[in-house]
Amino acid sequence: MELTIVRHGEPQRGLEGTDRADPWLSDRGHEQAIRAGRYLQEEAPYQALYCSPLLRARQTADHIGEALGLTPVVDEGLSEFDRHAPEYLHFEDMKAAGDPRYHAFLRGDLSAWGTDAATFRAEAVGAMDRIIERHRGQRVGVVSHGGVANVFLGTIIGLDRLAFHAPEYTGISRVIAGGPGKRGLVSINETAHLRGLPAAAHTVRTASTHGDKAPTSA
């Protein structure tokens, strides 16, 4: 089967109260999701679409589902490691600020989010494996998070790091999957659908200041 994994669009900044824990998409995030849907619409038909229960992923999946003619199916196992955290943290902002939680994340330490790497990896990979088993021979989309994509794709290429690449908002990765343990990585972080969309101001500042791009998640 063919599995297409999409990271959610950019979440809204500056929210208060309980909204900080589960932010909705920014205007830019909605535009990214719409573009991702149009991009995938040009391909062969998809038979199913799954998503994380977190709002940023569900809203992204709604746009993609509208383009593909599919209703997203929510799967708790596709949640990011911050599902129970009191606030969503933009990793690009944490990196620019030198937040110690960002450096802990790079070491594989998820204690700031109330979990650990082994537990998170088992949940995320387990959810992906169940979807693959359920849809043998089909084409399926999954809208989830940077952390989920990192740990799942890492198992395919033999890496046990929590993060090894920096997926863009609505970055697309593809996997070919057969029976148990038979996985092939086709692509990582496709962003052709984002061409012409101006870079966000914070992204420009980070790139000009640091000159590199470390793994991101969430």
Side-chain angles (χ1 to χ4, degrees):
M1 63 95 72
E2 299 179 41
L3 188 65
T4 300
I5 304 166
V6 185
R7 188 190 181 196
H8 60 80
E10 179 187 69
Q12 181 66 46
R13 285 177 166 78
L15 299 179
E16 299 180 353
T18 57
D19 291 332
R20 296 168 59 200
D22 192 16
W24 51 80
L25 293 181
S26 65
D27 290 345
R28 179 182 177 82
H30 282 289
E31 175 63 21
Q32 292 165 337
I34 290 169
R35 287 179 175 224
R38 291 173 180 166
Y39 182 69
L40 297 177
Q41 188 181 40
E42 298 300 315
E43 303 176 356
Y46 281 76
Q47 281 71 54
L49 178 65
Y50 289 82
C51 70
S52 156
L54 298 176
L55 185 55
R56 57 193 184 269
R58 288 192 286 116
Q59 289 185 328
T60 303
D62 284 342
H63 286 301
I64 294 175
E66 182 176 359
L68 300 181
L70 294 170
T71 299
V73 177
V74 174
D75 188 320
E76 290 285 339
L78 298 173
S79 300
E80 186 62 295
F81 54 76
D82 66 353
R83 73 179 80 179
H84 300 305
E87 63 177 330
Y88 173 84
L89 299 171
H90 288 77
F91 270 63
E92 58 269 29
D93 297 349
M94 293 173 66
K95 176 189 173 185
D99 192 309
R101 291 170 294 186
Y102 174 76
H103 296 290
F105 163 77
L106 293 181
R107 297 192 302 270
D109 179 3
L110 296 179
S111 57
W113 293 273
T115 188
D116 60 81
T119 299
F120 171 62
R121 180 180 289 107
E123 292 173 344
V125 174
M128 291 291 194
D129 286 345
R130 289 191 297 273
I131 291 171
I132 290 170
E133 180 63 25
R134 196 176 299 138
H135 294 280
R136 290 189 178 185
Q138 296 183 334
R139 171 172 280 194
V140 177
V142 169
V143 180
S144 191
H145 305 268
V148 173
N150 263 289
V151 295
F152 177 64
L153 299 179
T155 63
I156 295 174
I157 59 178
L159 295 177
D160 61 1
R161 292 171 56 188
L162 186 61
F164 71 92
H165 80 298
E168 297 284 351
Y169 291 122
T170 67
I172 297 169
S173 299
R174 303 176 192 265
V175 170
I176 296 292
K182 295 182 178 179
R183 310 281 188 266
L185 183 59
V186 177
S187 70
I188 295 179
N189 199 28
E190 298 175 27
T191 57
H193 57 289
L194 299 178
R195 289 174 183 165
L197 184 66
H202 64 82
T203 302
V204 173
R205 286 198 303 272
T206 300
S208 62
T209 302
H210 296 274
D212 65 348
K213 194 167 191 180
T216 59
S217 187

